[in-house]
Structure formats: structure tokens, C-alpha cells
Amino acid sequence: MISLTEEQQSAVEVEKHLLLAACPGSGKTRVILAKLLGLADTVEKSPRFIGCITYTNAAVDEIESRLRVYGTNTSTEKCDVSTIHSFCLQHILRPYSWLVAELPPTFKVLTREIADFEQIVEAVEDHFGRATMARTFDDYESLRVDVHGEPAGDGFEHGIVTRDSAILYWEFVRARGFLDFAMILFYSLRILREHPFVARGIAARFEWLLVDEFQDTTDVQLAIFRELHRHLTTKFFMVGDHNQSIMSFAGARPDLAQEFATEIGAELDYSLTANFRSAPGVVNTAHTLIATNPRMHSEGKAKDFDAKVTYVHVSQPLNAITEHFLPMLQDEGIELGNAAVLAPWWTHLIPVARALREFDIPVFGPGARPYRRRRLLAGLAEQLGACAESEHFLGLPGVEKALFRLIGDITGATRFDVFSYAGRRTALALIYRARACATAHPGGKAWLYQIAAEIAEQLYTDGWVPAPPTALLEASADEMVRDMRANRVDLENLAISDMGLFANPEKALKLITMHNSKGREFDAVALISMNYGHLPHFSSTTQEQYDEARRLFYVGITRAKKVLLVASDFSDRRNRPCPFITEAGLMLGGSEDW
């Protein structure tokens, strides 16, 4: 039985469409879980299901793991938990792609990590006679399709992508047998619009759809929900916070979510105002920045936390970490693994990560790896490095996922059977091999080369590859070693745990962009590079862009439980502190214990 507060219980008991406003740290996952379990009982003896759509795979894993704890086998089987892209793939695109002539008969999902992505972008740019730069790939990665099938996104609106290059890019993606995430959503919408029987069937299957992070639902996603609602057989339970709407670059706007909720007649008067995460001092800072009614307040253990909220103006972002944040962690007895450094962009984090690495401070995030993340061997080596020195098998799912990607990169085939008994057997065998290698080769460099050979042999023995990929994996190990040498890593003293840090980063200081911090929480948070031009971005020209930047600052603040450091800097003489620092009531040099 899941214990709920009066606010939470009231929301769970609503039997109509509902848009629930949930403040940061309000326990919305617990509410969603309770709603899921209650609804699953009502459809136990029917052919219908309860769908739950959440924002990230990590959130899917969390909800599914809690379902297994609190639910029965029957109730768990009645719950379909997925991201919106997985939902569209499973229920629309894979079974009905044959309805769209231009789609490849079988397709794989194209991500930035797959080599084909850069090859396609280079081919498109070459066609138009343009040289590719690092920003070029970012622009194409941000490309999306709007509800009318036209190009949109930051790379199109502010970057180098044109309508003609976007159309050619999509043609090349399809020609190689891929769809990217934006194409998955658009073609799903197109199938629902052009073939109502598909939408009717999905609506008949799902009694309810529970949607998390609803404030960041995009225009295309909402159009998909409209097509499902058109058949009036599915109810919606939507949870979100318009004060945390920060995904306009993906097509999300808080007013779109509100319009949909009003359109379907959803209840709008329910809210979760108790924050079980942050100390009163942190909550008060957030409320000063964006006042809410009813007011957010600390509850549970959080209301007894002593908060330390500090603003500093320093010469360099790194100084905020070394001279202020790390000493604060030491004073408060907070371990590095429970702390995070947030910045508006990953470009702000990379130099900080490299500098901290030189100080032998373990860090996890952009620029923390001393080798390229996309090296063929890197992902699986990291997972096995984490497992090699542990006494449990909690890292097994991570090994399976890395194994899936590696086999795909080597063979070009999508082997979902990696997630079957056969794949788990291979993953376990590799963990045992990694541990044996750690005993025989305790040095990180020697272990890396040996595990490359062991992986190649195991993949061939178990039939995942037609021939042992020994040369490929050893070449990848060579590349990783060259990368580390170029980054001045002490290879003679490289530990196996250094390899595993990126798969199991509990003891490392986290470096995360403010957008990617959404849904996370830490005992201590430092917000760096809080300068005007970074936040809001210098390209912001509208009130909505300014307001979204404020909401992003709000998201950053509310990741902290006990310690919050906000830092602007004068690394450039033109730098001015972010205006939201003043709006939040923070004073220069002020350090307040609440």
C-alpha cells in the first residue's frame, strides 16, 4: 500500500480527465504510481490497459521497478509504461508503417551516437557545398518536424539548416533504413490522421493514459493525444508544472498543454504544493523568483533541513567550484557523489571538467571522459569496469544495454534478442570475465586491452557476430589510450575503477546542463556561468524567451536539497550577472543559513 498525503490522495481519486499541477519535489512519481495501481485493478478482468507516458527512459525504469515492488504480477502486466517515442514505435509505427509508402519496410532508430548520423549530415552538407563544423551536427540533431510536416527546431530557426537541407537530410535518413526521434513522432501523427482505425484501436486498448512532465509535451505529441481523444474512450491523467516548462526548442509551450487540458474538459483545480526535497531556504529562494498560489512549502524531512544559500561573483567559473563549492561540501559533510554543478550549456562544463580532472577530483559529465564517448569499446568497457570491482550484479542492465549498442555498431543489425535469456547469459559471462581480468590485470590499461579480447571471443562464441571482432575492439582500445594520453592521463596509474566511473558514478561530482538536470535532485547544487547572455541567452528577443530562461533558473534552484551556490563571473569584461539572481533575492557575498 502506498502512503499518500491528503493532496496526493485527492488527485488520485479524481475519476475524470485531470491536469495536476505538481511543484518540484512533490512526489508526483508516487502519485502516478498510486494512480497506475488503482486503475490496473479496475481493468484486471478486461482486455483494456493503463498507459503511462513519461519523459525519459530513466523515469520508465523507476516507475517499472516500483510497480514490481508495490503491484502484483497481474496489475503490473496491465500497465504499459514507456516514453512517447517507445509508445509510438510499439503501437503505431512498427505495426502500421506499411501504410506510409515512403517509410522503409524495416527501420532502426537514428541517434547522435550512431556513426550513420554524422555520415548523413556530411553527405547533406557536401551536396550543398558547405563544410561541416562541430555546430553543424548540433543543428541537425536539434532538427524536428512540426505538425504540418515542415522543418522546425533550433538548428532550422537559428542555425545552418535550411528547408531544402532538412528535406534532403530526411530523405537520406530513410534511404539508410533509419528514422530519427522527430520522424517517429511525425509519422505516427500522420498515420493516426490518415487512418482513423489505428487511433480507434489504440483508444480502445487504453482505458487511461497517464502523462508525466505534461508541461513539456510538444505540439506534435499533443496532436497525437488529440487524435486518440477524438474517439472518447480514453481518459487522461496529466501531471506537470508550467513553472518548469523549459523545452520550447522541442516544440513545447506551457500554453499548449493548458489549451489541450481545457479542450478535453479536464479538472484544473488540483495541485501538489508540498516539496519533500528542498529545505525552506531553497524553497523560499525559488518562491521569490516565481511566486506560486497556493504557495510551495517544504514538507517531511525537508522542512527540518538547514539550508545554505550563497551567491558569489568570481573571476572564473572554476573558482566558484574550487574556492567556494568544494569547501561548502566539506563543511556540510556532503560527499561528491551527492553534489552537482549545473550550467546553461555543456560548453560551460567541459573546461571545468577538464580542470577538475587535473586536480584528481572525480567528475561525471560533459568533458569528464578523457576519451571520446563514441569509441566503439567505450560504453561496454565502462559498464564492465563498474562491475569488475563490485560484489553484486546491479550493473547487469547497463551491461545489456551497452552490449546491444556494441553488437549493433559491429554488425549493423538491431538485435533486440540481446534483452532475452541468451543476451543475459552473454552479459553475465562478460561480467565474470571482467572480474577475472581484474584479478589477473589490476592496472586499468592492461585490463582494457584484455577485456577487449575477452569481449570479442564471447560475442563470437555466443553467436552474436559471424567472426571474432578482435581487431576492431583492440583498435578501439588503442584509440581510447591515445585519447587519454593526449588528455595527460597517468596511464601507468590508471585504475579499473576509473573506467567504471562513467557507468557507476556514485562517487563522482556530477556536471549537468540545467535542461538535463530536470527530474534530478542533489544534496548540494552549484549553478555556474550565471551571466546575462548565457541566461537568458543573448539571442533572446521575446518576453516568452525571457520567461522560459527564468523558468530554467527556477529548475536549477529546485534541484538542491540543502546547499545552493549561485555563481556569476567576470571572465569576460562584458559579463553581467544574470538578472534572475536579483529576482530571486540573492545578494552578492550573501551566505544565509535558513
Side-chain angles (χ1 to χ4, degrees):
M1 186 69 178
I2 300 174
S3 61
L4 299 173
T5 66
E6 185 175 336
E7 277 186 332
Q8 294 169 340
Q9 187 65 44
S10 296
V12 169
E13 291 175 354
V14 175
E15 297 181 354
K16 304 185 338 188
H17 298 301
L18 172 67
L19 175 56
L20 175 64
C23 77
S26 59
K28 64 184 177 66
T29 301
R30 175 179 288 267
V31 172
I32 290 170
L33 184 65
K35 186 71 173 180
L36 265 176
L37 291 171
L39 293 173
D41 288 341
T42 67
V43 297
E44 184 175 328
K45 296 181 180 179
S46 82
R48 305 194 77 186
F49 290 80
I50 309 301
C52 178
I53 296 174
T54 190
Y55 204 75
T56 64
N57 287 319
V60 171
D61 292 341
E62 180 182 3
I63 292 173
E64 287 184 335
S65 65
R66 292 197 195 184
L67 276 175
R68 288 191 289 270
V69 171
Y70 292 104
T72 63
N73 289 338
T74 303
S75 62
T76 301
E77 289 172 359
K78 282 291 183 178
C79 298
D80 186 326
V81 185
S82 65
T83 63
I84 183 63
H85 297 96
S86 295
F87 180 88
C88 289
L89 282 170
Q90 181 180 351
H91 299 291
I92 306 172
L93 268 188
R94 295 211 183 274
Y96 298 108
S97 61
W98 56 273
L99 292 169
V100 181
E102 68 206 57
L103 289 179
T106 59
F107 58 84
K108 295 171 286 187
V109 178
L110 182 65
T111 66
R112 177 74 179 264
E113 286 72 29
I114 295 176
D116 295 73
F117 171 78
E118 292 192 359
Q119 294 168 10
I120 291 170
V121 171
E122 288 169 350
V124 172
E125 290 299 288
D126 184 61
H127 177 86
F128 289 98
R130 299 190 298 239
T132 54
M133 300 174 289
R135 174 62 191 270
T136 306
F137 300 111
D138 294 338
D139 284 348
Y140 277 92
E141 185 181 23
S142 70
L143 182 63
R144 64 182 187 86
V145 196
D146 70 13
V147 292
H148 306 294
E150 291 295 318
D154 191 62
F156 174 72
E157 293 159 9
H158 305 291
I160 57 91
V161 182
T162 64
R163 186 177 187 277
D164 288 341
S165 65
I167 290 172
L168 186 61
Y169 167 78
W170 292 326
E171 288 179 3
F172 284 1
V173 170
R174 292 192 301 267
R176 289 203 181 201
F178 285 100
L179 294 180
D180 65 16
F181 290 116
M183 297 166 77
I184 288 171
L185 294 180
F186 173 71
Y187 281 114
S188 295
L189 174 59
R190 181 172 158 186
I191 289 171
L192 295 180
R193 281 176 168 172
E194 296 177 0
H195 305 279
F197 77 91
V198 178
R200 191 180 305 116
I202 296 171
R205 176 180 176 82
F206 290 102
E207 179 96 6
W208 283 79
L209 281 179
L210 282 58
V211 187
D212 192 12
E213 301 289 357
F214 194 69
Q215 77 282 348
D216 287 324
T217 304
T218 70
D219 51 351
V220 180
Q221 293 170 21
L222 286 171
I224 289 171
F225 294 150
R226 279 191 176 91
E227 293 302 320
L228 298 180
H229 177 260
R230 204 180 297 278
H231 300 279
L232 303 178
T233 57
T234 300
K235 293 180 183 177
F236 286 84
F237 183 88
M238 303 159 287
V239 184
D241 178 6
H242 66 273
N243 291 324
Q244 298 184 72
S245 179
I246 56 174
M247 299 292 181
S248 65
F249 61 86
R253 296 201 321 262
D255 58 302
L256 292 177
Q258 191 76 21
E259 285 174 12
F260 176 78
T262 303
E263 180 184 315
I264 67 174
E267 294 282 346
L268 303 174
D269 298 328
Y270 289 78
S271 59
L272 304 179
T273 61
N275 184 317
F276 295 90
R277 172 192 300 153
S278 301
V282 176
V283 168
N284 290 340
T285 301
H287 183 78
T288 302
L289 178 68
I290 298 179
T292 57
N293 185 24
R295 179 170 179 149
M296 174 173 64
H297 61 279
S298 297
E299 193 55 80
K301 294 180 180 179
K303 70 180 179 181
D304 297 323
F305 290 161
D306 292 323
K308 184 176 288 292
V309 180
T310 306
Y311 165 54
V312 296
H313 188 60
V314 292
S315 59
Q316 299 286 338
L318 179 64
N319 294 46
I321 308 301
T322 57
E323 297 175 10
H324 297 276
F325 192 53
L326 294 179
M328 291 169 73
L329 298 184
Q330 187 171 12
D331 291 344
E332 299 298 318
I334 296 173
E335 296 182 357
L336 285 177
N338 296 324
V341 177
L342 311 184
W345 303 97
W346 61 268
T347 50
H348 301 137
L349 295 170
I350 286 179
V352 171
R354 289 172 177 166
L356 291 175
R357 195 174 65 220
E358 290 184 3
F359 294 154
D360 291 328
I361 296 172
V363 292
F364 177 79
R369 284 177 174 82
Y371 47 82
R372 290 186 63 185
R373 180 181 182 180
R374 295 175 198 157
R375 297 301 187 196
L376 183 65
L377 179 61
L380 187 53
E382 290 173 359
Q383 296 294 334
L384 292 174
C387 293
E389 298 189 338
S390 65
E391 297 179 356
H392 53 69
F393 292 90
L394 297 178
L396 181 59
V399 173
E400 289 175 324
K401 292 175 183 176
L403 184 62
F404 171 76
R405 288 190 291 269
L406 178 63
I407 293 171
D409 288 341
I410 292 173
T411 66
T414 303
R415 297 291 300 271
F416 289 108
D417 51 338
V418 166
F419 301 105
S420 67
Y421 170 76
R424 176 148 294 193
R425 186 179 62 185
T426 299
L428 280 169
L430 287 173
I431 292 174
Y432 283 117
R433 283 179 180 249
R435 291 174 177 174
C437 287
T439 301
H441 306 279
K445 179 181 174 183
W447 178 88
L448 180 64
Y449 280 106
Q450 186 59 39
I451 200 61
E454 298 282 343
I455 292 169
E457 181 181 330
Q458 191 70 49
L459 292 182
Y460 176 67
T461 299
D462 290 352
W464 297 105
V465 292
T470 308
L472 275 174
L473 296 181
E474 287 182 352
S476 182
D478 284 337
E479 291 170 337
M480 292 172 67
V481 169
R482 282 198 297 271
D483 290 344
M484 287 187 277
R485 188 174 287 116
N487 283 299
R488 300 192 295 276
V489 172
D490 182 1
L491 289 169
E492 298 308 313
N493 292 308
L494 180 70
I496 298 170
S497 58
D498 294 331
M499 297 297 306
L501 175 66
F502 304 106
N504 189 24
E506 283 97 348
K507 297 181 180 180
L509 177 66
K510 313 301 187 298
L511 275 63
I512 313 172
T513 65
M514 295 169 76
H515 280 97
N516 287 336
S517 73
K518 189 78 175 298
R520 309 283 296 275
E521 58 181 38
F522 304 93
D523 286 348
V525 168
L527 304 180
I528 63 169
S529 298
M530 293 294 104
N531 306 314
Y532 195 96
H534 297 156
L535 195 73
H537 193 261
F538 65 85
S539 64
S540 300
T541 58
T542 67
Q543 185 64 46
E544 174 50 36
Q545 290 171 329
Y546 188 90
D547 291 343
E548 181 168 340
R550 182 191 291 109
R551 295 194 294 267
L552 184 59
F553 192 64
Y554 179 86
V555 167
I557 288 173
T558 53
R559 302 309 96 193
K561 293 183 179 180
K562 304 173 183 177
V563 172
L564 174 65
L565 173 71
V566 178
S568 55
D569 62 79
F570 49 94
S571 56
D572 187 303
R573 61 181 179 80
R574 296 168 295 182
N575 281 359
R576 289 184 291 142
C578 161
F580 309 128
I581 293 171
T582 301
E583 291 185 25
L586 298 173
M587 302 294 291
L588 182 62
S591 179
E592 301 189 52
D593 296 300
W594 301 73

